[in-house]
Amino acid sequence: MSRVLTADPETGRRRNNASRDAILEATHTLLEEAGFDKLSLEGVAARAGVGKATIYRWWPSKGALAMEAFLRAVAPTIAFPVTACARDDVTTQIHKVAKAYRGKAGRIIREMIGLGQFEPETMRLFVDGYLEPRRSAAKAALQRGIEQGEWCRAIDLDIVVDALYGPIFHRLLTAHAEIDARFIDAHVNLVLDGIGNSKTA
Amino acid sequence: MSRVLTADPETGRRRNNASRDAILEATHTLLEEAGFDKLSLEGVAARAGVGKATIYRWWPSKGALAMEAFLRAVAPTIAFPVTACARDDVTTQIHKVAKAYRGKAGRIIREMIGLGQFEPETMRLFVDGYLEPRRSAAKAALQRGIEQGEWCRAIDLDIVVDALYGPIFHRLLTAHAEIDARFIDAHVNLVLDGIGNSKTA
Amino acid sequence: MSRVLTADPETGRRRNNASRDAILEATHTLLEEAGFDKLSLEGVAARAGVGKATIYRWWPSKGALAMEAFLRAVAPTIAFPVTACARDDVTTQIHKVAKAYRGKAGRIIREMIGLGQFEPETMRLFVDGYLEPRRSAAKAALQRGIEQGEWCRAIDLDIVVDALYGPIFHRLLTAHAEIDARFIDAHVNLVLDGIGNSKTA
Amino acid sequence: MSRVLTADPETGRRRNNASRDAILEATHTLLEEAGFDKLSLEGVAARAGVGKATIYRWWPSKGALAMEAFLRAVAPTIAFPVTACARDDVTTQIHKVAKAYRGKAGRIIREMIGLGQFEPETMRLFVDGYLEPRRSAAKAALQRGIEQGEWCRAIDLDIVVDALYGPIFHRLLTAHAEIDARFIDAHVNLVLDGIGNSKTA
DNA sequence: AAATAATCGAGACGGTACGTCTGGTCTTACC
DNA sequence: GGTAAGACCAGACGTACCGTCTCGATTATTT
């Protein structure tokens, strides 16, 4: 992440990690307090006790900084349950995700995806740092189910994962309906039952 | 939309519709040319040959203005096909949507949803002006299918519609995978086949 | 001074004179307190309760602003004495100038001339607003002396005025020697006695 | 100039004269090209291939560096003519000075005096390194004239020198009038004729 | 027709944040 | 220990827009 190293970085003073940490921490705090829209680099610099130039030296945009701060705070929490029944694992995990998205995490993720619409590179950071790791974990759980005979071998896991999570993101982002437990149950059943029945997926 | 009229405005000069049109047209043009991020009310006012105050008099925010300009340009194009087979109607329409989202319309819609993350009221405009009309049309098509016996009566149409369109918005917004015809086919089959099989939806 | 009026200034909101006054006053205060080097437009804007853009709208540079603030505060104080003897008038006035230059006014004038070295337009303001009015007054006094027969008619007044005041500015600016009363007396006598004796001036 | 060496500098690496020369040369070049205002230590360091710290180690300020670079380039050129007639010597030399000030040297000297208004120490360097050597040479020429009976013994040479050169600096700095040959002739005659006539100088 | 009233284009205003630049200091690896 | 490189904190620079506010002129409706 951060900067592309050019030429010979073997000389001169080294990057100060204390500054780096202070900047990311200040960014995360301000993001939680006021949201991305109110986030200003001026404010981050002031709170982190850092010159603005130091931020510009290492991050190409406000979005990239916010995204990295978000990822650093959220990345460690993937955790997929592993029990005998893969379907239960998936169902349980989706309920957990739904609950998280109803809370404070929901707003930040909405904003990260929102800002990603205006900076392709920032969206790339989100996909690589947040989305893909979680998609991989979900695909692994589904794969376990296939190997245990819960679903047929022919299904395209990418499409199933999108079918499972896409509608949740959709409701998160457009707020046209609640992401409550009733919805999750009905939705997951629709998709997971569909897998067995589909001729082409 | 626009302003709530208070009291009795029966006297005085009436709102100038030429200005209104010029503003919305300028906004739409600038949106297409440069994107929402580069859109400035100063620029809109200059291009429309209008005072800034005139914009502020009638729209509460930059987002609301952009959304109205977007809706005005896009709204007329709903059109759901009606043939003997509802499943074919749905499939055909989703392919059309996917194709549109791969083009210029895709970027604008992504940006409208993106900016909606930071202005709830603006998102409301999007849902009411764009999303719900299209959801209603989709639900009507599905309802025709049910009445013709293509699917069972027990399904919750809102959940099916989300299952159908959610993943497309998901891919539109996060760009983690293409919205190509292959994907659409596999995805639609998965969901529509699943309807019949699901015990709870 | 200030801006060159372009196009049609008959439309739009008019310039706010209260702002203008606040800006010039704040500038003068800060100039006296800390000197031109420490003067920042940011500081002026803050103290005057004014947006920075308002300053940039009306003054082309920090120097021009400082100069106008200086001139406005200093301009009214020209006053040449008028008695029966022009030589006494000149001598008295130069002593007064010297005394002023030894004090706070001296530092500001030094700085105004100093900054004028880097901005020709600002120097022009100083010459037109400060120097020339005082040179004219001095020439008028000398002219009275000529008409009263104190000096011969042939002298070039511009050269005499430079001979009288140039050395004082020289000492003010380079500080290679004091501008005390002894020096003034000797210097003025040298020049004014010289007038009568010179064959070419 | 530069640093006072304290204690015993016999240990450690010695000062690198190549660096010193490169710095002064780069400074002088940039001064001539763009003027003092555009001069930045960052630029000097880059052009001289030197670290900024090396400059700060040996010069206390940007002004001191510029002044030393100026003095090094200009210092050697004093040269007062010596003929039988001291008055001619003075006149000839002043004409030469005036000619130099009308050219490129004029701008640099103006700027050196200008910056000296904001840094007393830098002005001191100018006076000691430039002004006083030239004043001494002028006083020596005048002294020769006195000893040859061209002027009376009673005159205060400092005052005469100021009377001769002050107006030239005045015109150089405020540009209220040209420093042409006509002016120089009239001015020098006024002052040198005045010497004989003055009762008090 | 006159009086009243809300609209309009224009643009100045107080602000906030931007991204850049420079000043001076400190750190690192090398010589 | 001096040096080149370059990261660091600090803070002013000049610009771009924001949303608000006067202006004088225009356009309807009401009297």
Side-chain angles (χ1 to χ4, degrees), chain A residues 47-94:
Chain A
R47 173 180 257 268
V50 138
K52 279 199 290 176
T54 301
I55 303 182
Y56 283 106
R57 212 190 321 271
W58 300 110
W59 287 275
S61 71
K62 194 172 90 159
L65 171 62
M67 194 62 85
E68 186 168 341
F70 159 72
L71 291 176
R72 210 171 73 136
V74 157
T77 61
I78 303 194
F80 234 85
V82 179
T83 67
C85 176
R87 180 170 184 140
D88 287 351
D89 293 351
V90 170
T91 307
T92 302
Q93 209 271 347
I94 292 191

Short mmCIF file of all heavy atoms in Angstrom, two decimals, chain A residues 47-94:
data_model
loop_
_atom_site.label_atom_id
_atom_site.label_comp_id
_atom_site.label_asym_id
_atom_site.label_seq_id
_atom_site.Cartn_x
_atom_site.Cartn_y
_atom_site.Cartn_z
N ARG A 47 -4.48 16.55 14.77
CA ARG A 47 -4.70 15.60 15.85
C ARG A 47 -3.52 14.64 16.00
O ARG A 47 -3.19 14.20 17.12
CB ARG A 47 -5.98 14.80 15.58
CG ARG A 47 -6.22 13.67 16.55
CD ARG A 47 -7.51 12.93 16.23
NE ARG A 47 -8.59 13.30 17.12
CZ ARG A 47 -8.86 12.64 18.25
NH1 ARG A 47 -8.14 11.63 18.63
NH2 ARG A 47 -9.89 13.02 19.01
N ALA A 48 -2.89 14.31 14.88
CA ALA A 48 -1.77 13.36 14.94
C ALA A 48 -0.46 14.08 15.31
O ALA A 48 0.55 13.42 15.56
CB ALA A 48 -1.62 12.64 13.61
N GLY A 49 -0.49 15.40 15.34
CA GLY A 49 0.73 16.14 15.64
C GLY A 49 1.76 15.96 14.56
O GLY A 49 2.94 15.68 14.82
N VAL A 50 1.34 16.18 13.35
CA VAL A 50 2.13 15.81 12.17
C VAL A 50 1.99 16.90 11.13
O VAL A 50 0.98 17.59 11.09
CB VAL A 50 1.56 14.46 11.67
CG1 VAL A 50 1.45 14.42 10.19
CG2 VAL A 50 2.38 13.30 12.21
N GLY A 51 3.00 17.11 10.31
CA GLY A 51 2.86 18.08 9.23
C GLY A 51 2.02 17.51 8.11
O GLY A 51 2.04 16.31 7.86
N LYS A 52 1.29 18.41 7.43
CA LYS A 52 0.45 17.90 6.34
C LYS A 52 1.29 17.22 5.27
O LYS A 52 0.88 16.21 4.69
CB LYS A 52 -0.32 19.06 5.70
CG LYS A 52 -1.56 19.44 6.46
CD LYS A 52 -2.53 20.23 5.59
CE LYS A 52 -2.00 21.60 5.27
NZ LYS A 52 -2.90 22.34 4.36
N ALA A 53 2.47 17.76 5.04
CA ALA A 53 3.32 17.21 3.98
C ALA A 53 3.63 15.73 4.23
O ALA A 53 3.77 14.95 3.30
CB ALA A 53 4.61 18.00 3.87
N THR A 54 3.74 15.37 5.48
CA THR A 54 4.04 13.97 5.81
C THR A 54 2.91 13.06 5.36
O THR A 54 3.13 11.92 4.92
CB THR A 54 4.28 13.82 7.32
OG1 THR A 54 5.36 14.67 7.68
CG2 THR A 54 4.62 12.39 7.67
N ILE A 55 1.69 13.54 5.45
CA ILE A 55 0.57 12.73 4.96
C ILE A 55 0.61 12.64 3.44
O ILE A 55 0.50 11.55 2.87
CB ILE A 55 -0.77 13.34 5.42
CG1 ILE A 55 -0.79 13.47 6.96
CG2 ILE A 55 -1.93 12.48 4.94
CD1 ILE A 55 -2.08 14.03 7.50
N TYR A 56 0.81 13.78 2.81
CA TYR A 56 0.84 13.76 1.34
C TYR A 56 2.01 12.94 0.82
O TYR A 56 1.96 12.43 -0.29
CB TYR A 56 0.92 15.19 0.80
CG TYR A 56 -0.40 15.91 0.87
CD1 TYR A 56 -0.66 16.89 1.80
CD2 TYR A 56 -1.43 15.56 -0.01
CE1 TYR A 56 -1.88 17.54 1.87
CE2 TYR A 56 -2.66 16.21 0.05
CZ TYR A 56 -2.87 17.18 0.99
OH TYR A 56 -4.09 17.82 1.04
N ARG A 57 3.07 12.84 1.60
CA ARG A 57 4.21 12.08 1.13
C ARG A 57 3.88 10.60 0.99
O ARG A 57 4.38 9.90 0.12
CB ARG A 57 5.39 12.25 2.10
CG ARG A 57 6.75 12.19 1.44
CD ARG A 57 7.92 12.11 2.43
NE ARG A 57 7.75 12.94 3.62
CZ ARG A 57 8.13 14.21 3.73
NH1 ARG A 57 8.67 14.80 2.70
NH2 ARG A 57 7.96 14.87 4.84
N TRP A 58 2.99 10.11 1.85
CA TRP A 58 2.79 8.67 1.91
C TRP A 58 1.43 8.18 1.41
O TRP A 58 1.26 6.98 1.18
CB TRP A 58 3.02 8.18 3.33
CG TRP A 58 4.40 8.47 3.82
CD1 TRP A 58 4.76 9.38 4.78
CD2 TRP A 58 5.62 7.88 3.38
NE1 TRP A 58 6.12 9.38 4.95
CE2 TRP A 58 6.67 8.46 4.11
CE3 TRP A 58 5.93 6.89 2.43
CZ2 TRP A 58 8.01 8.11 3.92
CZ3 TRP A 58 7.26 6.54 2.24
CH2 TRP A 58 8.28 7.14 2.98
N TRP A 59 0.46 9.08 1.32
CA TRP A 59 -0.84 8.64 0.80
C TRP A 59 -1.26 9.56 -0.35
O TRP A 59 -1.14 10.79 -0.25
CB TRP A 59 -1.89 8.68 1.89
CG TRP A 59 -1.73 7.58 2.89
CD1 TRP A 59 -2.19 6.30 2.82
CD2 TRP A 59 -1.03 7.68 4.16
NE1 TRP A 59 -1.82 5.58 3.94
CE2 TRP A 59 -1.10 6.40 4.78
CE3 TRP A 59 -0.35 8.69 4.82
CZ2 TRP A 59 -0.54 6.14 6.02
CZ3 TRP A 59 0.22 8.43 6.05
CH2 TRP A 59 0.13 7.16 6.64
N PRO A 60 -1.78 8.98 -1.40
CA PRO A 60 -2.08 9.78 -2.58
C PRO A 60 -3.37 10.59 -2.46
O PRO A 60 -3.58 11.53 -3.21
CB PRO A 60 -2.22 8.74 -3.68
CG PRO A 60 -2.64 7.49 -2.97
CD PRO A 60 -1.97 7.54 -1.62
N SER A 61 -4.25 10.21 -1.53
CA SER A 61 -5.51 10.93 -1.42
C SER A 61 -6.14 10.70 -0.06
O SER A 61 -5.76 9.78 0.67
CB SER A 61 -6.47 10.44 -2.50
OG SER A 61 -6.88 9.13 -2.18
N LYS A 62 -7.10 11.52 0.23
CA LYS A 62 -7.85 11.38 1.47
C LYS A 62 -8.51 10.01 1.53
O LYS A 62 -8.54 9.35 2.58
CB LYS A 62 -8.91 12.49 1.53
CG LYS A 62 -9.53 12.69 2.89
CD LYS A 62 -10.43 13.94 2.91
CE LYS A 62 -11.85 13.61 2.52
NZ LYS A 62 -12.83 14.65 2.99
N GLY A 63 -9.03 9.59 0.40
CA GLY A 63 -9.70 8.30 0.34
C GLY A 63 -8.78 7.14 0.67
O GLY A 63 -9.12 6.24 1.44
N ALA A 64 -7.59 7.18 0.09
CA ALA A 64 -6.64 6.09 0.33
C ALA A 64 -6.26 6.02 1.80
O ALA A 64 -6.14 4.93 2.38
CB ALA A 64 -5.40 6.30 -0.53
N LEU A 65 -6.11 7.20 2.40
CA LEU A 65 -5.78 7.22 3.82
C LEU A 65 -6.92 6.65 4.66
O LEU A 65 -6.71 5.80 5.53
CB LEU A 65 -5.50 8.67 4.25
CG LEU A 65 -5.33 8.91 5.74
CD1 LEU A 65 -4.15 8.14 6.29
CD2 LEU A 65 -5.18 10.40 6.05
N ALA A 66 -8.12 7.10 4.38
CA ALA A 66 -9.28 6.61 5.14
C ALA A 66 -9.40 5.10 4.97
O ALA A 66 -9.67 4.37 5.94
CB ALA A 66 -10.55 7.31 4.66
N MET A 67 -9.23 4.64 3.76
CA MET A 67 -9.38 3.21 3.51
C MET A 67 -8.33 2.42 4.28
O MET A 67 -8.64 1.40 4.89
CB MET A 67 -9.25 2.94 2.01
CG MET A 67 -9.70 1.57 1.59
SD MET A 67 -11.46 1.26 1.93
CE MET A 67 -12.22 1.97 0.47
N GLU A 68 -7.09 2.91 4.27
CA GLU A 68 -6.07 2.15 4.99
C GLU A 68 -6.35 2.15 6.49
O GLU A 68 -6.18 1.12 7.16
CB GLU A 68 -4.67 2.73 4.70
CG GLU A 68 -3.59 1.86 5.33
CD GLU A 68 -2.17 2.20 4.85
OE1 GLU A 68 -2.02 2.84 3.80
OE2 GLU A 68 -1.22 1.79 5.54
N ALA A 69 -6.81 3.28 7.00
CA ALA A 69 -7.13 3.33 8.43
C ALA A 69 -8.28 2.37 8.75
O ALA A 69 -8.25 1.65 9.76
CB ALA A 69 -7.53 4.76 8.82
N PHE A 70 -9.26 2.34 7.88
CA PHE A 70 -10.39 1.42 8.07
C PHE A 70 -9.93 -0.03 8.03
O PHE A 70 -10.26 -0.84 8.90
CB PHE A 70 -11.42 1.67 6.96
CG PHE A 70 -12.35 0.52 6.73
CD1 PHE A 70 -13.35 0.20 7.65
CD2 PHE A 70 -12.24 -0.27 5.59
CE1 PHE A 70 -14.21 -0.87 7.43
CE2 PHE A 70 -13.09 -1.34 5.36
CZ PHE A 70 -14.08 -1.64 6.29
N LEU A 71 -9.14 -0.35 7.02
CA LEU A 71 -8.70 -1.73 6.87
C LEU A 71 -7.86 -2.19 8.06
O LEU A 71 -8.00 -3.31 8.55
CB LEU A 71 -7.89 -1.89 5.58
CG LEU A 71 -8.70 -1.73 4.29
CD1 LEU A 71 -7.79 -1.80 3.07
CD2 LEU A 71 -9.79 -2.79 4.20
N ARG A 72 -6.98 -1.32 8.52
CA ARG A 72 -6.13 -1.70 9.63
C ARG A 72 -6.94 -2.01 10.87
O ARG A 72 -6.61 -2.88 11.68
CB ARG A 72 -5.14 -0.57 9.94
CG ARG A 72 -3.83 -1.10 10.50
CD ARG A 72 -2.80 -0.01 10.58
NE ARG A 72 -3.07 0.92 11.65
CZ ARG A 72 -2.13 1.38 12.49
NH1 ARG A 72 -0.88 0.98 12.36
NH2 ARG A 72 -2.43 2.25 13.40
N ALA A 73 -8.04 -1.28 11.05
CA ALA A 73 -8.85 -1.47 12.24
C ALA A 73 -9.77 -2.68 12.11
O ALA A 73 -10.13 -3.30 13.09
CB ALA A 73 -9.67 -0.22 12.51
N VAL A 74 -10.13 -3.02 10.88
CA VAL A 74 -11.17 -4.03 10.68
C VAL A 74 -10.62 -5.36 10.18
O VAL A 74 -11.17 -6.41 10.45
CB VAL A 74 -12.19 -3.48 9.64
CG1 VAL A 74 -12.95 -4.61 8.96
CG2 VAL A 74 -13.15 -2.53 10.34
N ALA A 75 -9.50 -5.31 9.50
CA ALA A 75 -8.98 -6.49 8.82
C ALA A 75 -8.93 -7.76 9.67
O ALA A 75 -9.31 -8.84 9.20
CB ALA A 75 -7.60 -6.18 8.25
N PRO A 76 -8.46 -7.67 10.93
CA PRO A 76 -8.25 -8.91 11.68
C PRO A 76 -9.51 -9.75 11.89
O PRO A 76 -9.41 -10.93 12.20
CB PRO A 76 -7.71 -8.41 13.02
CG PRO A 76 -7.22 -7.03 12.76
CD PRO A 76 -8.10 -6.49 11.68
N THR A 77 -10.68 -9.15 11.70
CA THR A 77 -11.92 -9.82 12.13
C THR A 77 -12.62 -10.55 11.00
O THR A 77 -13.65 -10.12 10.53
CB THR A 77 -12.89 -8.77 12.70
OG1 THR A 77 -13.18 -7.85 11.64
CG2 THR A 77 -12.27 -8.02 13.86
N ILE A 78 -12.08 -11.68 10.57
CA ILE A 78 -12.78 -12.44 9.55
C ILE A 78 -13.57 -13.61 10.16
O ILE A 78 -14.77 -13.61 10.17
CB ILE A 78 -11.81 -12.99 8.48
CG1 ILE A 78 -11.03 -11.85 7.86
CG2 ILE A 78 -12.61 -13.73 7.41
CD1 ILE A 78 -10.31 -12.22 6.59
N ALA A 79 -12.88 -14.58 10.67
CA ALA A 79 -13.48 -15.67 11.47
C ALA A 79 -14.76 -16.30 10.91
O ALA A 79 -15.87 -15.76 11.05
CB ALA A 79 -13.79 -15.15 12.88
N PHE A 80 -14.59 -17.42 10.25
CA PHE A 80 -15.74 -18.21 9.81
C PHE A 80 -15.87 -19.42 10.74
O PHE A 80 -14.89 -20.10 11.01
CB PHE A 80 -15.50 -18.71 8.38
CG PHE A 80 -16.60 -18.34 7.43
CD1 PHE A 80 -16.62 -17.11 6.81
CD2 PHE A 80 -17.63 -19.25 7.18
CE1 PHE A 80 -17.63 -16.78 5.93
CE2 PHE A 80 -18.65 -18.92 6.28
CZ PHE A 80 -18.65 -17.68 5.66
N PRO A 81 -17.05 -19.72 11.23
CA PRO A 81 -17.19 -20.90 12.11
C PRO A 81 -16.97 -22.19 11.31
O PRO A 81 -17.22 -22.22 10.11
CB PRO A 81 -18.63 -20.82 12.61
CG PRO A 81 -19.35 -19.99 11.60
CD PRO A 81 -18.33 -19.04 11.02
N VAL A 82 -16.50 -23.20 11.98
CA VAL A 82 -16.34 -24.50 11.31
C VAL A 82 -16.99 -25.59 12.15
O VAL A 82 -16.48 -25.97 13.20
CB VAL A 82 -14.85 -24.85 11.09
CG1 VAL A 82 -14.74 -26.23 10.41
CG2 VAL A 82 -14.17 -23.80 10.25
N THR A 83 -18.13 -26.05 11.68
CA THR A 83 -18.82 -27.16 12.37
C THR A 83 -19.03 -28.29 11.37
O THR A 83 -18.53 -28.23 10.25
CB THR A 83 -20.19 -26.71 12.93
OG1 THR A 83 -21.04 -26.43 11.81
CG2 THR A 83 -20.04 -25.47 13.78
N ALA A 84 -19.77 -29.26 11.74
CA ALA A 84 -20.00 -30.39 10.85
C ALA A 84 -20.85 -29.99 9.64
O ALA A 84 -20.68 -30.50 8.54
CB ALA A 84 -20.69 -31.53 11.61
N CYS A 85 -21.77 -29.03 9.84
CA CYS A 85 -22.69 -28.65 8.76
C CYS A 85 -22.30 -27.31 8.15
O CYS A 85 -22.41 -26.26 8.79
CB CYS A 85 -24.11 -28.58 9.32
SG CYS A 85 -25.30 -28.01 8.09
N ALA A 86 -21.85 -27.33 6.91
CA ALA A 86 -21.40 -26.11 6.25
C ALA A 86 -22.55 -25.12 6.10
O ALA A 86 -22.38 -23.91 6.23
CB ALA A 86 -20.82 -26.45 4.89
N ARG A 87 -23.73 -25.59 5.84
CA ARG A 87 -24.87 -24.70 5.68
C ARG A 87 -25.11 -23.89 6.95
O ARG A 87 -25.39 -22.69 6.89
CB ARG A 87 -26.12 -25.52 5.34
CG ARG A 87 -27.33 -24.63 5.17
CD ARG A 87 -28.53 -25.37 4.61
NE ARG A 87 -29.62 -24.46 4.40
CZ ARG A 87 -30.43 -24.48 3.35
NH1 ARG A 87 -30.26 -25.42 2.42
NH2 ARG A 87 -31.39 -23.61 3.22
N ASP A 88 -24.98 -24.56 8.09
CA ASP A 88 -25.12 -23.83 9.34
C ASP A 88 -24.03 -22.79 9.51
O ASP A 88 -24.27 -21.66 9.97
CB ASP A 88 -25.07 -24.81 10.52
CG ASP A 88 -26.35 -25.62 10.61
OD1 ASP A 88 -27.32 -25.31 9.87
OD2 ASP A 88 -26.40 -26.58 11.40
N ASP A 89 -22.81 -23.17 9.11
CA ASP A 89 -21.70 -22.21 9.21
C ASP A 89 -22.00 -20.95 8.42
O ASP A 89 -21.85 -19.83 8.90
CB ASP A 89 -20.40 -22.85 8.67
CG ASP A 89 -19.92 -24.00 9.55
OD1 ASP A 89 -20.48 -24.17 10.65
OD2 ASP A 89 -18.98 -24.70 9.13
N VAL A 90 -22.41 -21.14 7.18
CA VAL A 90 -22.71 -19.99 6.33
C VAL A 90 -23.83 -19.15 6.92
O VAL A 90 -23.74 -17.91 7.03
CB VAL A 90 -23.10 -20.47 4.91
CG1 VAL A 90 -23.65 -19.32 4.08
CG2 VAL A 90 -21.90 -21.10 4.22
N THR A 91 -24.91 -19.81 7.32
CA THR A 91 -26.04 -19.10 7.89
C THR A 91 -25.63 -18.30 9.13
O THR A 91 -25.95 -17.11 9.27
CB THR A 91 -27.16 -20.09 8.26
OG1 THR A 91 -27.45 -20.89 7.12
CG2 THR A 91 -28.40 -19.36 8.71
N THR A 92 -24.91 -18.94 10.00
CA THR A 92 -24.46 -18.27 11.23
C THR A 92 -23.61 -17.04 10.90
O THR A 92 -23.81 -15.95 11.45
CB THR A 92 -23.61 -19.24 12.06
OG1 THR A 92 -24.40 -20.39 12.35
CG2 THR A 92 -23.14 -18.57 13.35
N GLN A 93 -22.70 -17.23 9.97
CA GLN A 93 -21.79 -16.11 9.64
C GLN A 93 -22.55 -14.95 9.02
O GLN A 93 -22.32 -13.79 9.36
CB GLN A 93 -20.70 -16.62 8.69
CG GLN A 93 -19.38 -15.87 8.82
CD GLN A 93 -19.36 -14.66 7.88
OE1 GLN A 93 -20.20 -14.54 7.01
NE2 GLN A 93 -18.40 -13.76 8.12
N ILE A 94 -23.47 -15.25 8.15
CA ILE A 94 -24.22 -14.16 7.52
C ILE A 94 -25.05 -13.39 8.54
O ILE A 94 -25.17 -12.16 8.48
CB ILE A 94 -25.11 -14.70 6.38
CG1 ILE A 94 -24.22 -15.19 5.23
CG2 ILE A 94 -26.08 -13.62 5.88
CD1 ILE A 94 -24.96 -15.49 3.95
#
